[in-house]
Amino acid sequence: MIGTGYVGLVTGACLAEFGHRVICMDKDSSKIERLRNGEMPIYEPGLDALVAKNVKDGRLSFTSNMEESVSQAKAVFIAVGTPSSRRGDGYADLTYIYAAARDLAPYLDKYTVVVDKSTVPVGTARQVARVIREANPAAQFDVVSNPEFLREGAAINDFMRPDRVVIGIETERASEVMKEIYNPLYLIATPFVITGLETAELIKYAANAFLSMKISFINEMANVCEALGADVIDLAKAVGLDGRIGRKFLHAGPGYGGSCFPKDTLALLRIAQENGVPVRSVEAAVEVNAAQKARMVKKIRDALGGSEAGKTIGVLGLTFKPETDDLRDSPALTILPPLVEKGAKIQAHDPQGMAEAAKMFPEFSYVKNAYEASENADVLVLFTEWNQYRALDLQELKSRMKSPVFIDLRNVYNPKQMKEAGFSYVGVGRG
Ligand code: UDX
């Protein structure tokens, strides 16, 4: 397993749990040292226990030595990062992928399946094969595309009980190896979609783009609900009960964030535009998402009486979703800075994200719990639906706040109950 980031570490630990012998490799030797000491570089529920168990049983180990990881391996997974390129043009940066391919090539000492696990633009698997062939013309290998569909916070379950496994493959020989690797999933009757390389690569982008569209759609419906006095929660429920639509990913909120949707939608748009086949529905979803974040700034400003200057905003949640410490493209981090610029003071709490946030926003103050975040606040804004924010003592909050204004960007609370508790309550789409 090349790369011990989110995907590499979860995949490595889960494959070890399947009974395989997995050697996770990362160039960053201090990270490997920490992993050897049982320290997880990311917060993912259950991951530390799974890693510890498989290390103890001798199936999982860590190294910063490429040869140790690759030589004699039946399969090598490339799970390095594919961030948006620094040029800011939406293209995925494939530097790490090709560097990994080049670096692993010399150690392919018997027939090996090289698996692209990272989310990559269409055509990358073939390019990876070219890079390996150039670096080691004698190598016997096939490249396979096997996109991941792991949700942060639920990644282990998503790996162990996936809706489907997608494998882009071109030879029977590679197929046999992949079947062996995923045998436990065959046994529980997981649907496998076996397809060509390009299709597999595109499936990942299409799935994430579709989910982004669903979110942007419901966010726009929420705005319509606000204008017309309708309720988006009932609307989403009723619409989602249509089996053709489905209830999932119809929660209105402050816009999507995270490591995948923002980056993958942009990458898909670039590939599509480049090939003269623009995907306008996804272009709209991306625009709507940015507009939704801007709309949340206005929502908070309006609740503060039109001006945030000198006001204190209590913040509940900074991560892009609960059960992760990931702040990448988190809505809170787009919505708060314009308010701070105009003189608002931020008093924030997050169960996992504060250490990282403090590096980016040293001007925020960070507090120990939700009640401290409400202390003397002019408004309290719930950004992330962590469980510990779901049943707060409302009277305690109210007694601490300067004015009892609650902005619930995840629609966790019941507007009627909030009103009865004496709050001025603002949700998303709860006209
Ligand atoms: C996503 C995909 O779900 C996963 O399959 C893929 O492999 C990686 O990207 P992840 O980014 O971990 O996973 O989080 P996800 O649960 O999909 O949520 C993404 C964002 O959408 C979050 O900011 C979340 O708050 C938001 N969201 C999700 C909504 O606003 N409304 C919803 O109904 C669902």
Side-chain angles (χ1 to χ4, degrees):
M1 186 69 55
I2 314 300
T4 57
Y6 200 87
V7 173
L9 196 54
V10 171
T11 306
C14 289
L15 289 177
E17 181 68 12
F18 282 177
H20 304 303
R21 168 92 183 86
V22 180
I23 310 178
C24 288
M25 184 273 169
D26 204 296
K27 274 187 163 170
D28 181 346
S29 50
S30 65
K31 199 171 176 191
I32 290 298
E33 208 40 56
R34 273 178 277 138
L35 280 163
R36 283 184 177 149
N37 292 327
E39 252 177 73
M40 294 300 109
I42 48 159
Y43 172 74
E44 176 65 31
L47 185 62
D48 44 0
L50 194 72
V51 166
K53 173 174 170 239
N54 283 282
V55 167
K56 186 168 161 276
D57 293 349
R59 287 186 301 266
L60 181 63
S61 59
F62 300 98
T63 181
S64 45
N65 180 327
M66 185 65 95
E67 181 173 8
E68 193 185 327
S69 173
V70 172
S71 83
Q72 293 301 308
K74 212 169 213 181
V76 178
F77 283 70
I78 302 181
V80 296
T82 51
S84 283
S85 102
R86 291 217 183 94
R87 297 186 301 272
D89 51 11
Y91 285 98
D93 178 355
L94 301 177
T95 320
Y96 303 109
I97 298 266
Y98 295 138
R102 224 175 4 256
D103 294 349
L104 70 83
Y107 306 113
L108 298 176
D109 44 14
K110 57 170 197 172
Y111 174 74
T112 314
V113 176
V114 177
V115 187
D116 256 349
K117 196 74 187 156
S118 308
T119 299
V120 289
V122 178
T124 306
R126 264 182 226 292
Q127 186 59 23
V128 164
R130 241 172 267 139
V131 170
I132 295 176
R133 216 171 294 122
E134 263 168 38
N136 180 359
Q140 283 188 51
F141 69 98
D142 279 306
V143 175
V144 164
S145 164
N146 174 215
E148 56 84 18
F149 299 96
L150 309 175
R151 281 166 307 163
E152 295 188 17
I156 293 172
N157 188 61
D158 283 354
F159 193 97
M160 297 290 186
R161 276 168 286 276
D163 289 338
R164 77 313 207 176
V165 174
V166 174
I167 301 181
I169 210 156
E170 292 194 313
T171 68
E172 195 45 46
R173 199 174 180 192
S175 232
E176 288 307 312
V177 175
M178 293 309 284
K179 264 194 193 140
E180 208 181 311
I181 291 173
Y182 282 115
N183 192 40
L185 297 184
Y186 277 96
L187 297 179
I188 58 168
T190 305
F192 276 70
V193 180
I194 309 291
T195 179
L197 291 175
E198 283 73 16
T199 310
E201 289 170 332
L202 193 54
I203 285 169
K204 171 63 192 263
Y205 282 119
N208 277 349
F210 190 84
L211 293 170
S212 308
M213 281 197 311
K214 253 186 132 172
I215 299 170
S216 279
F217 173 78
I218 203 64
N219 283 341
E220 285 204 302
M221 281 299 127
N223 301 341
V224 175
C225 284
E226 285 177 7
L228 301 182
D231 185 76
V232 77
I233 294 205
D234 291 345
L235 178 134
K237 182 175 174 190
V239 169
L241 281 169
D242 184 324
R244 294 168 300 177
I245 297 173
R247 286 183 66 176
K248 291 181 183 165
F249 278 69
L250 284 181
H251 301 289
Y256 58 76
S259 64
C260 287
F261 289 173
K263 160 171 94 69
D264 293 352
T265 44
L266 287 187
L268 173 65
L269 292 182
R270 290 295 164 268
I271 300 168
Q273 282 160 2
E274 206 170 70
N275 287 281
V277 280
V279 187
R280 288 202 300 275
S281 46
V282 179
E283 282 172 17
V286 170
E287 272 171 38
V288 168
N289 197 51
Q292 186 70 359
K293 291 178 184 174
R295 195 178 160 95
M296 298 303 114
V297 175
K298 186 167 179 304
K299 208 185 246 300
I300 297 170
R301 181 172 296 142
D302 288 349
L304 286 168
S307 165
E308 58 272 38
K311 303 280 173 57
T312 298
I313 303 176
V315 168
L316 304 181
L318 293 164
T319 54
F320 80 98
K321 66 184 233 180
E323 297 301 329
T324 176
D325 58 358
D326 201 338
L327 294 169
R328 282 178 284 179
D329 271 308
S330 178
L333 304 187
T334 308
I335 295 164
L336 292 172
L339 297 164
V340 173
E341 225 163 80
K342 294 259 168 67
K345 184 175 161 276
I346 306 298
Q347 216 160 258
H349 176 258
D350 187 281
Q352 292 292 339
M354 291 197 287
E356 203 49 37
K359 293 184 201 157
M360 289 186 261
F361 297 99
E363 67 274 31
F364 295 3
S365 56
Y366 297 92
V367 296
K368 281 207 244 14
N369 55 45
Y371 301 103
E372 285 189 12
S374 70
E375 199 71 54
N376 270 321
D378 295 280
V379 62
L380 193 58
V381 187
L382 192 154
F383 277 94
T384 320
E385 67 279 31
W386 285 93
N387 278 337
Q388 50 264 68
Y389 302 148
R390 286 180 184 272
L392 294 168
D393 180 336
L394 298 176
Q395 291 315 316
E396 171 78 22
L397 284 182
K398 204 175 82 179
S399 69
R400 291 188 183 223
M401 292 180 73
K402 198 182 280 170
S403 52
V405 182
F406 195 102
I407 304 187
D408 183 359
L409 299 185
R410 298 291 181 170
N411 291 338
V412 167
Y413 285 90
N414 179 317
K416 196 164 155 262
Q417 280 166 5
M418 292 303 278
K419 215 172 243 168
E420 280 164 12
F423 278 90
S424 151
Y425 174 86
V426 185
V428 179
R430 318 221 56 193

